[in-house]
């Protein structure tokens, strides 16, 4: 699979490209939260690290959440809660079937939630949840929306707002992108990165070992102690929804003393937005970024404003001097 991706860290005056994650190093792979061939530790025994439900079929090559048959639901969940503050999850998956254009469905959801093995109407899991969900939606429910499918979107919920399947989750969506991921000759990948309150989703659908940005949003608060899982569903239309691997990497990130002193298990899932998620209905791309104005951002804005005033002053003085010199030549 492609290596973890780098993030651009803006440090007051300088822009610094820093790759502070694992580059796929084995020592940062958290095996207790990873699902890999030959899928040892999957099952219903007390020692299992992954449980599955519904139509899920575990083979030596893939975990098939649903077959290409109508009205199927399946899921697989990690039994070990995640206590990492900063992490990156890589999902290798494949969605394929006999259905032609617009005749397939419904999709896969990747979950980081308080609840696990909680069946429901949203890609095989419950519409109300606490935590983070990433939806790989292959069927266009809202025909009025100007959006290309398959579509990948993210949602953070504290359990009070359900995912609106009929409108493809537009009212609660934090961001997203269209992605042609069906019936590829190769596997497709996505990376979900959560670090320092920033959620970034990258995709690789061309098998070129190159990440492309899909979602990047700050102000995200997620607690520790939640569970990772994947689920899928079919309705009147269907597809094979396969998970090949889910690899969890720990990110080596320093936190402030105040952050370290917090009880991260008590954090309420939330997003500090300058723009309401329901305003996203008017954005046909479904992609926007908004982060709270932290101290250094305010400093940068003030610095830019001050520099602008200085530049304007210098330009004004030069123009004034030139006019004075021109006026003196006329006398």
């Amino acid at each position: 699979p492609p290596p973890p991706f780098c993030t651009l860290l803006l440090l007051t005056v300088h822009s610094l490209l820093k790759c502070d994650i694992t580059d796929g190093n084995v020592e940062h792979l958290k095996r207790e939260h990873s699902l890999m061939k030959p899928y040892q530790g999957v099952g219903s025994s007390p020692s299992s690290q992954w449980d599955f439900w519904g139509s899920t079929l575990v083979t030596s090559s893939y975990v098939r959440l649903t077959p290409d048959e109508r009205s199927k639901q399946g899921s697989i969940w990690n039994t070990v809660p995640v206590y990492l503050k900063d992490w990156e999850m890589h999902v290798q998956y494949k969605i394929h079937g006999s259905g032609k254009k617009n005749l397939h469905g419904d999709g896969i959801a990747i979950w980081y939630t308080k609840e696990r093995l909680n069946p429901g109407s949203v890609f095989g899991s419950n519409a109300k949840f606490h935590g983070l969900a990433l939806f790989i939606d292959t069927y266009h429910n809202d025909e009025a929306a100007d959006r290309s499918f398959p579509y990948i979107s993210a949602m953070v919920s504290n359990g009070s707002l359900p995912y609106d399947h009929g409108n493809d989750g537009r009212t609660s969506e934090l961001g997203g992108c269209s992605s042609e991921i069906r019936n590829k000759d190769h596997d497709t990948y996505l990376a979900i990165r959560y670090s320092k309150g920033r959620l970034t989703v990258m995709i690789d659908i061309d098998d070129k070992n190159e990440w492309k940005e899909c979602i990047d949003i700050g102000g995200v608060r997620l607690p520790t102690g939640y569970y990772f899982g994947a689920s899928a569903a079919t309705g009147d239309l269907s597809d094979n929804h396969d998970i090949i691997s889910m690899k969890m990497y720990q990110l080596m990130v320093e936190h402030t003393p105040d952050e370290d002193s917090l009880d991260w298990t008590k954090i309420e899932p939330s997003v500090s937005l300058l723009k309401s998620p329901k305003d996203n209905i008017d954005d046909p791309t479904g992609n926007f970024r908004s982060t709270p104005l932290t101290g250094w951002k305010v400093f940068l804005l003030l610095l830019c404003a001050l520099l602008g005033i200085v530049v304007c002053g210098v330009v004004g003085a030069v123009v004034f001097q030139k006019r004075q010199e021109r006026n003196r030549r006329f006398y």
Side-chain angles (χ1 to χ4, degrees):
F5 52 91
C6 300
T7 55
L8 192 64
L9 302 179
L10 188 61
L11 304 175
T12 60
V13 184
H14 301 285
S15 292
L16 175 65
L17 187 65
K18 180 183 179 183
C19 192
D20 60 353
I21 54 179
T22 66
D23 290 327
N25 290 340
V26 175
E27 62 266 26
H28 295 292
L29 177 69
K30 308 304 289 183
R31 295 187 179 277
E32 67 271 26
H33 304 303
S34 297
L35 178 69
M36 299 178 293
K37 299 177 186 178
Y39 308 117
Q40 295 176 345
V42 177
S44 57
S45 69
S47 61
S48 298
Q49 295 177 337
W50 292 84
D51 271 349
F52 59 92
W53 168 86
S55 61
T56 301
L57 173 67
V58 181
T59 75
S60 60
S61 302
Y62 54 80
V63 175
R64 178 155 293 170
L65 300 176
T66 74
D68 190 2
E69 299 174 10
R70 297 171 59 179
S71 303
K72 298 293 184 180
Q73 292 186 348
S75 65
I76 189 164
W77 287 86
N78 193 199
T79 63
V80 185
V82 177
Y83 289 103
L84 302 177
K85 299 174 184 177
D86 305 87
W87 46 261
E88 184 167 315
M89 171 64 83
H90 289 198
V91 182
Q92 180 182 359
Y93 67 101
K94 192 175 183 67
I95 300 177
H96 57 105
S98 58
K100 304 302 181 183
K101 186 176 182 181
N102 299 326
L103 293 175
H104 48 78
D106 283 328
I108 294 176
I110 308 298
W111 307 89
Y112 174 67
T113 55
K114 181 179 181 180
E115 307 85 5
R116 55 180 301 275
L117 284 174
N118 192 16
S121 60
V122 177
F123 303 96
S125 289
N126 203 293
K128 283 191 173 184
F129 60 92
H130 295 77
L132 167 70
L134 190 79
F135 303 107
I136 308 171
D137 193 348
T138 59
Y139 182 73
H140 202 170
N141 291 292
D142 184 4
E143 296 295 339
D146 181 16
R147 177 174 289 180
S148 177
F149 278 68
Y151 191 82
I152 299 173
S153 65
M155 175 181 174
V156 171
S157 177
N158 62 2
S160 62
L161 182 66
Y163 177 82
D164 186 357
H165 208 325
N167 291 317
D168 301 314
R170 290 187 63 121
T171 54
S172 56
E173 176 189 316
L174 299 177
C177 65
S178 298
S179 180
E180 292 293 334
I181 44 85
R182 282 193 74 250
N183 284 342
K184 294 287 186 180
D185 294 331
H186 50 266
D187 296 338
T188 45
Y189 302 84
L190 64 86
I192 310 166
R193 185 176 198 263
Y194 178 67
S195 181
K196 300 287 284 186
R198 191 161 205 91
L199 175 68
T200 312
V201 178
M202 305 288 280
I203 60 175
D204 176 11
I205 63 173
D206 298 320
D207 200 28
K208 294 182 178 179
N209 287 349
E210 295 178 358
W211 291 116
K212 294 182 180 179
E213 183 180 297
C214 177
I215 302 168
D216 183 17
I217 186 167
V220 178
R221 289 173 59 83
L222 294 174
T224 58
Y226 281 15
Y227 297 90
F228 270 102
S231 67
T234 64
D236 291 336
L237 303 174
S238 61
D239 257 335
N240 296 302
H241 296 100
D242 298 344
I243 297 291
I244 288 84
S245 68
M246 296 176 68
K247 296 181 180 180
M248 164 69 90
Y249 296 94
Q250 180 178 8
L251 304 183
M252 310 311 292
V253 178
E254 292 185 3
H255 287 268
T256 66
D258 288 342
E259 290 172 335
D260 284 331
S261 65
L262 288 175
D263 185 351
W264 285 61
T265 63
K266 304 297 184 184
I267 291 176
E268 185 82 358
S270 63
V271 183
S272 301
L273 293 173
L274 299 180
K275 179 178 178 181
S276 170
K278 62 184 179 182
D279 294 337
N280 209 28
I281 295 174
D282 301 324
D283 180 3
T285 66
N287 208 359
F288 66 92
R289 305 179 189 182
S290 54
T291 58
L293 288 179
T294 55
W296 65 269
K297 290 184 180 178
V298 173
F299 170 76
L300 284 178
L301 289 175
L302 292 176
L303 180 61
C304 291
L306 181 59
L307 289 175
I309 293 172
V310 171
V311 170
C312 290
V314 171
V315 172
V318 171
V319 171
F320 178 78
Q321 184 177 7
K322 293 292 184 182
R323 287 182 176 177
Q324 289 291 93
E325 291 175 356
R326 184 178 61 184
N327 289 340
R328 281 198 294 269
R329 286 198 297 268
F330 282 106
Y331 285 107

